[in-house]
Each structure stands twice: as structure tokens, then as C-alpha cells.
Amino acid sequence: MAEAERIIGTPDVPGTAGAGPEQSDGNAASGDRSGSHESATGERSGTDSGADSGADGTSATDERPKGKRRIAVLFTVAVLAYALDLVSKMIVVAKLEHHDSIEIVGDWLKFEAIRNAGAAFGFGEAFTVIFTVIAAAVIVVIARLARKLYSLPWAIALGLLLGGALGNLTDRIFRSPGVFEGAVVDFIAPKHFAVFNLADSAIVCGGILIVLLSFRGLDPDGTVHRD
């Protein structure tokens, strides 16, 4: 009997024979699940991190002004406005003051040289020094604001204001009757309206442009806000 068993061999036991492969498959499956879980966790972490980084990057980009500063435009417009005003006043003082007015469009528009101790269009002649201080303050504010200027329309508007303020401030300082009390030269005289000069025109145009830009929600730094 023992000899027969030796020749035929001991029969395989199903539980014993299959234990190795099944255990191996189970370990493999467990490893796959663990790997998949770690991969999924890593992907979610990477996605969340990327989303946070993207959100932070986007917000930082939105907060950072775009484009280049428009300081050159501001000062170019200011210099042109100031030069036109200065040259026109020199011509008026040399050629028109103490002479008869010149009719440009009949009685509707004349060139007539007058000295104005007040503000624009002849208002407030008793507050010459105050208007001088205000003009100087406007120039300082515009110069400080230029560092944050990224909007072209704002650069033009502030350049007009700066050139006009400089033009009238020059008269306040250097013309009679004295420093900071000088009378501004006005010469543009429409019918039924106050006499003014090119500096006054630049200030008014710049102010109107600023109001329009503010209504549109455009800030000097180039951003647009909606109230």
C-alpha cells in the first residue's frame, strides 16, 4: 500500500494547492487598490493646490495694474497746454493790451485783453492768494498721482489740468501787482459770457473728461469698477 502511494503520488488538496495563487492575487489586488487610492489622493491634492495657486495668481494679476504707466503722456499734454497758454498771453500782452478788441466772429467772439485777479472766468477777485494756493495744491496732487497712472484717458485729463494750473499759476507768481497776487491775462471774450484764456479752457476740458471717466467707472490705474 505504501509502495502504491509512493508510485501514484499524494493527491493534491484543493485548499492547499490554491492557497498560494489566491493569496498572491489578493495581495496584488490590495496593492492595486492602495496604489489607486494614493494616486487619486495625489491627483486631488495636486488639483486643489493648483486651483488655489491659480486663484491666488488670478487675484494677484487682477490687482496688479496692467500695461505701462502713462506719465510721459500726462507731462506731454501738460507741456503743450502750458506752452500754448504762455505764448498766447505773451502775444496778447505785446499786441493787444491797451488796444481795441479784435472781432473774430462779429460780436459773438472777440479777443480783448483784460487782467483778472480772480479765479477762472473772473470769479472771486477778492481771493487771489487762496486761488494761488489751490492751484499749487492741484499741481502737487497730480504729480503724486502720476506714479499710479496707467490709463491713457486719465493721463490726458490730468495733463490738461496740470498745464492749465501751471499757466495761471505762472501769472499769479510773476505778474503785477505782486508775487502770489498777480492778475491773470484773459483775452477770449464770447458774447454774454466771461472772458477767459487757454489755461481756463484746459482746466475745464480736463475736469469734464474726469467726470465722464468717473461715470464710466474707469480709475486712473486702468481698472474698471461697477457700482
Side-chain angles (χ1 to χ4, degrees), residues 66-91:
K66 299 177 180 179
K68 59 182 179 180
R69 287 187 293 181
R70 303 295 184 175
I71 299 177
V73 176
L74 186 154
F75 287 109
T76 299
V77 174
V79 169
L80 288 175
Y82 177 71
L84 289 174
D85 179 70
L86 185 62
V87 171
S88 65
K89 289 174 179 176
M90 292 174 62
I91 295 174

mmCIF file of all heavy atoms in Angstrom, residues 66-91:
data_model
loop_
_atom_site.group_PDB
_atom_site.id
_atom_site.type_symbol
_atom_site.label_atom_id
_atom_site.label_comp_id
_atom_site.label_asym_id
_atom_site.label_seq_id
_atom_site.Cartn_x
_atom_site.Cartn_y
_atom_site.Cartn_z
ATOM 1 N N LYS A 66 -2.240 96.739 -15.196
ATOM 2 C CA LYS A 66 -1.731 96.184 -16.437
ATOM 3 C C LYS A 66 -1.237 97.301 -17.353
ATOM 4 O O LYS A 66 -1.707 98.421 -17.298
ATOM 5 C CB LYS A 66 -2.833 95.384 -17.142
ATOM 6 C CG LYS A 66 -3.339 94.208 -16.322
ATOM 7 C CD LYS A 66 -4.468 93.496 -17.036
ATOM 8 C CE LYS A 66 -4.982 92.329 -16.211
ATOM 9 N NZ LYS A 66 -6.099 91.625 -16.869
ATOM 10 N N GLY A 67 -0.310 96.963 -18.222
ATOM 11 C CA GLY A 67 0.208 97.935 -19.163
ATOM 12 C C GLY A 67 1.304 98.775 -18.535
ATOM 13 O O GLY A 67 1.803 98.504 -17.443
ATOM 14 N N LYS A 68 1.674 99.839 -19.226
ATOM 15 C CA LYS A 68 2.745 100.715 -18.747
ATOM 16 C C LYS A 68 2.171 102.030 -18.277
ATOM 17 O O LYS A 68 1.093 102.454 -18.693
ATOM 18 C CB LYS A 68 3.764 100.957 -19.851
ATOM 19 C CG LYS A 68 3.187 101.593 -21.108
ATOM 20 C CD LYS A 68 4.263 101.741 -22.167
ATOM 21 C CE LYS A 68 3.687 102.349 -23.455
ATOM 22 N NZ LYS A 68 4.718 102.512 -24.492
ATOM 23 N N ARG A 69 2.892 102.657 -17.416
ATOM 24 C CA ARG A 69 2.428 103.925 -16.880
ATOM 25 C C ARG A 69 2.402 105.003 -17.969
ATOM 26 O O ARG A 69 3.195 104.978 -18.895
ATOM 27 C CB ARG A 69 3.320 104.352 -15.720
ATOM 28 C CG ARG A 69 3.085 103.536 -14.464
ATOM 29 C CD ARG A 69 3.851 104.068 -13.287
ATOM 30 N NE ARG A 69 5.290 103.911 -13.449
ATOM 31 C CZ ARG A 69 6.181 104.279 -12.535
ATOM 32 N NH1 ARG A 69 5.775 104.834 -11.425
ATOM 33 N NH2 ARG A 69 7.461 104.100 -12.741
ATOM 34 N N ARG A 70 1.481 105.939 -17.801
ATOM 35 C CA ARG A 70 1.253 106.971 -18.812
ATOM 36 C C ARG A 70 1.796 108.322 -18.368
ATOM 37 O O ARG A 70 1.236 109.376 -18.701
ATOM 38 C CB ARG A 70 -0.256 107.085 -19.090
ATOM 39 C CG ARG A 70 -0.907 105.788 -19.532
ATOM 40 C CD ARG A 70 -0.368 105.323 -20.862
ATOM 41 N NE ARG A 70 -1.053 104.113 -21.340
ATOM 42 C CZ ARG A 70 -0.845 103.561 -22.520
ATOM 43 N NH1 ARG A 70 0.038 104.107 -23.341
ATOM 44 N NH2 ARG A 70 -1.486 102.466 -22.883
ATOM 45 N N ILE A 71 2.888 108.299 -17.623
ATOM 46 C CA ILE A 71 3.451 109.550 -17.118
ATOM 47 C C ILE A 71 3.909 110.445 -18.270
ATOM 48 O O ILE A 71 3.711 111.661 -18.245
ATOM 49 C CB ILE A 71 4.627 109.252 -16.169
ATOM 50 C CG1 ILE A 71 4.137 108.439 -14.971
ATOM 51 C CG2 ILE A 71 5.278 110.542 -15.695
ATOM 52 C CD1 ILE A 71 5.243 108.047 -14.023
ATOM 53 N N ALA A 72 4.512 109.837 -19.293
ATOM 54 C CA ALA A 72 5.001 110.624 -20.427
ATOM 55 C C ALA A 72 3.855 111.344 -21.134
ATOM 56 O O ALA A 72 3.988 112.509 -21.538
ATOM 57 C CB ALA A 72 5.748 109.726 -21.406
ATOM 58 N N VAL A 73 2.716 110.658 -21.283
ATOM 59 C CA VAL A 73 1.558 111.290 -21.926
ATOM 60 C C VAL A 73 1.062 112.461 -21.092
ATOM 61 O O VAL A 73 0.748 113.544 -21.608
ATOM 62 C CB VAL A 73 0.439 110.256 -22.130
ATOM 63 C CG1 VAL A 73 -0.810 110.911 -22.706
ATOM 64 C CG2 VAL A 73 0.911 109.128 -23.048
ATOM 65 N N LEU A 74 0.967 112.240 -19.778
ATOM 66 C CA LEU A 74 0.500 113.302 -18.884
ATOM 67 C C LEU A 74 1.358 114.556 -19.029
ATOM 68 O O LEU A 74 0.841 115.664 -19.238
ATOM 69 C CB LEU A 74 0.524 112.797 -17.442
ATOM 70 C CG LEU A 74 -0.055 113.717 -16.351
ATOM 71 C CD1 LEU A 74 -0.546 112.890 -15.177
ATOM 72 C CD2 LEU A 74 0.971 114.732 -15.834
ATOM 73 N N PHE A 75 2.664 114.397 -18.932
ATOM 74 C CA PHE A 75 3.538 115.571 -18.964
ATOM 75 C C PHE A 75 3.645 116.166 -20.365
ATOM 76 O O PHE A 75 3.845 117.377 -20.506
ATOM 77 C CB PHE A 75 4.915 115.216 -18.419
ATOM 78 C CG PHE A 75 4.929 115.038 -16.921
ATOM 79 C CD1 PHE A 75 5.082 113.795 -16.356
ATOM 80 C CD2 PHE A 75 4.754 116.126 -16.082
ATOM 81 C CE1 PHE A 75 5.083 113.632 -14.979
ATOM 82 C CE2 PHE A 75 4.759 115.987 -14.704
ATOM 83 C CZ PHE A 75 4.915 114.724 -14.148
ATOM 84 N N THR A 76 3.486 115.349 -21.394
ATOM 85 C CA THR A 76 3.479 115.894 -22.758
ATOM 86 C C THR A 76 2.273 116.790 -22.976
ATOM 87 O O THR A 76 2.384 117.905 -23.507
ATOM 88 C CB THR A 76 3.481 114.752 -23.787
ATOM 89 O OG1 THR A 76 4.664 113.958 -23.634
ATOM 90 C CG2 THR A 76 3.425 115.305 -25.201
ATOM 91 N N VAL A 77 1.095 116.309 -22.558
ATOM 92 C CA VAL A 77 -0.122 117.125 -22.672
ATOM 93 C C VAL A 77 -0.002 118.381 -21.822
ATOM 94 O O VAL A 77 -0.385 119.487 -22.245
ATOM 95 C CB VAL A 77 -1.359 116.302 -22.255
ATOM 96 C CG1 VAL A 77 -2.610 117.181 -22.217
ATOM 97 C CG2 VAL A 77 -1.568 115.138 -23.214
ATOM 98 N N ALA A 78 0.543 118.238 -20.612
ATOM 99 C CA ALA A 78 0.700 119.393 -19.735
ATOM 100 C C ALA A 78 1.634 120.440 -20.343
ATOM 101 O O ALA A 78 1.342 121.645 -20.305
ATOM 102 C CB ALA A 78 1.230 118.938 -18.372
ATOM 103 N N VAL A 79 2.745 119.998 -20.910
ATOM 104 C CA VAL A 79 3.700 120.939 -21.513
ATOM 105 C C VAL A 79 3.082 121.656 -22.707
ATOM 106 O O VAL A 79 3.258 122.878 -22.874
ATOM 107 C CB VAL A 79 4.988 120.190 -21.922
ATOM 108 C CG1 VAL A 79 5.867 121.072 -22.793
ATOM 109 C CG2 VAL A 79 5.757 119.738 -20.686
ATOM 110 N N LEU A 80 2.338 120.910 -23.532
ATOM 111 C CA LEU A 80 1.688 121.539 -24.689
ATOM 112 C C LEU A 80 0.660 122.570 -24.248
ATOM 113 O O LEU A 80 0.611 123.699 -24.782
ATOM 114 C CB LEU A 80 1.024 120.466 -25.559
ATOM 115 C CG LEU A 80 1.969 119.559 -26.360
ATOM 116 C CD1 LEU A 80 1.181 118.471 -27.086
ATOM 117 C CD2 LEU A 80 2.791 120.375 -27.353
ATOM 118 N N ALA A 81 -0.178 122.209 -23.272
ATOM 119 C CA ALA A 81 -1.195 123.148 -22.786
ATOM 120 C C ALA A 81 -0.548 124.374 -22.164
ATOM 121 O O ALA A 81 -0.988 125.520 -22.391
ATOM 122 C CB ALA A 81 -2.105 122.449 -21.774
ATOM 123 N N TYR A 82 0.504 124.157 -21.386
ATOM 124 C CA TYR A 82 1.195 125.280 -20.740
ATOM 125 C C TYR A 82 1.874 126.178 -21.774
ATOM 126 O O TYR A 82 1.801 127.423 -21.676
ATOM 127 C CB TYR A 82 2.221 124.733 -19.754
ATOM 128 C CG TYR A 82 3.049 125.800 -19.082
ATOM 129 C CD1 TYR A 82 2.494 126.648 -18.128
ATOM 130 C CD2 TYR A 82 4.394 125.966 -19.412
ATOM 131 C CE1 TYR A 82 3.249 127.625 -17.509
ATOM 132 C CE2 TYR A 82 5.160 126.939 -18.800
ATOM 133 C CZ TYR A 82 4.595 127.770 -17.852
ATOM 134 O OH TYR A 82 5.346 128.742 -17.245
ATOM 135 N N ALA A 83 2.522 125.572 -22.765
ATOM 136 C CA ALA A 83 3.221 126.364 -23.774
ATOM 137 C C ALA A 83 2.244 127.202 -24.601
ATOM 138 O O ALA A 83 2.509 128.394 -24.864
ATOM 139 C CB ALA A 83 4.028 125.432 -24.691
ATOM 140 N N LEU A 84 1.138 126.595 -25.011
ATOM 141 C CA LEU A 84 0.138 127.351 -25.778
ATOM 142 C C LEU A 84 -0.410 128.521 -24.974
ATOM 143 O O LEU A 84 -0.585 129.636 -25.491
ATOM 144 C CB LEU A 84 -0.989 126.421 -26.219
ATOM 145 C CG LEU A 84 -0.644 125.401 -27.310
ATOM 146 C CD1 LEU A 84 -1.814 124.451 -27.542
ATOM 147 C CD2 LEU A 84 -0.273 126.111 -28.609
ATOM 148 N N ASP A 85 -0.694 128.274 -23.703
ATOM 149 C CA ASP A 85 -1.221 129.352 -22.860
ATOM 150 C C ASP A 85 -0.192 130.451 -22.671
ATOM 151 O O ASP A 85 -0.518 131.650 -22.781
ATOM 152 C CB ASP A 85 -1.633 128.769 -21.502
ATOM 153 C CG ASP A 85 -2.156 129.824 -20.554
ATOM 154 O OD1 ASP A 85 -3.255 130.349 -20.805
ATOM 155 O OD2 ASP A 85 -1.452 130.147 -19.569
ATOM 156 N N LEU A 86 1.062 130.070 -22.410
ATOM 157 C CA LEU A 86 2.109 131.069 -22.166
ATOM 158 C C LEU A 86 2.369 131.919 -23.405
ATOM 159 O O LEU A 86 2.448 133.157 -23.317
ATOM 160 C CB LEU A 86 3.390 130.366 -21.727
ATOM 161 C CG LEU A 86 4.564 131.253 -21.319
ATOM 162 C CD1 LEU A 86 4.196 132.109 -20.110
ATOM 163 C CD2 LEU A 86 5.794 130.411 -21.020
ATOM 164 N N VAL A 87 2.473 131.278 -24.550
ATOM 165 C CA VAL A 87 2.744 132.019 -25.786
ATOM 166 C C VAL A 87 1.580 132.938 -26.139
ATOM 167 O O VAL A 87 1.776 134.101 -26.537
ATOM 168 C CB VAL A 87 3.035 131.040 -26.941
ATOM 169 C CG1 VAL A 87 3.094 131.771 -28.274
ATOM 170 C CG2 VAL A 87 4.336 130.288 -26.693
ATOM 171 N N SER A 88 0.357 132.451 -25.995
ATOM 172 C CA SER A 88 -0.808 133.275 -26.321
ATOM 173 C C SER A 88 -0.876 134.512 -25.420
ATOM 174 O O SER A 88 -1.196 135.617 -25.883
ATOM 175 C CB SER A 88 -2.089 132.450 -26.185
ATOM 176 O OG SER A 88 -2.308 132.054 -24.830
ATOM 177 N N LYS A 89 -0.553 134.352 -24.140
ATOM 178 C CA LYS A 89 -0.574 135.504 -23.230
ATOM 179 C C LYS A 89 0.527 136.504 -23.566
ATOM 180 O O LYS A 89 0.319 137.728 -23.473
ATOM 181 C CB LYS A 89 -0.440 135.018 -21.784
ATOM 182 C CG LYS A 89 -1.676 134.300 -21.268
ATOM 183 C CD LYS A 89 -1.440 133.714 -19.891
ATOM 184 C CE LYS A 89 -2.678 133.021 -19.370
ATOM 185 N NZ LYS A 89 -2.461 132.344 -18.057
ATOM 186 N N MET A 90 1.689 136.013 -23.947
ATOM 187 C CA MET A 90 2.769 136.930 -24.329
ATOM 188 C C MET A 90 2.370 137.758 -25.555
ATOM 189 O O MET A 90 2.642 138.965 -25.623
ATOM 190 C CB MET A 90 4.035 136.128 -24.618
ATOM 191 C CG MET A 90 4.636 135.460 -23.383
ATOM 192 S SD MET A 90 6.041 134.378 -23.769
ATOM 193 C CE MET A 90 7.196 135.560 -24.459
ATOM 194 N N ILE A 91 1.719 137.103 -26.515
ATOM 195 C CA ILE A 91 1.283 137.833 -27.715
ATOM 196 C C ILE A 91 0.204 138.848 -27.375
ATOM 197 O O ILE A 91 0.208 139.991 -27.859
ATOM 198 C CB ILE A 91 0.774 136.837 -28.778
ATOM 199 C CG1 ILE A 91 1.919 135.941 -29.251
ATOM 200 C CG2 ILE A 91 0.134 137.576 -29.944
ATOM 201 C CD1 ILE A 91 1.483 134.835 -30.194
#
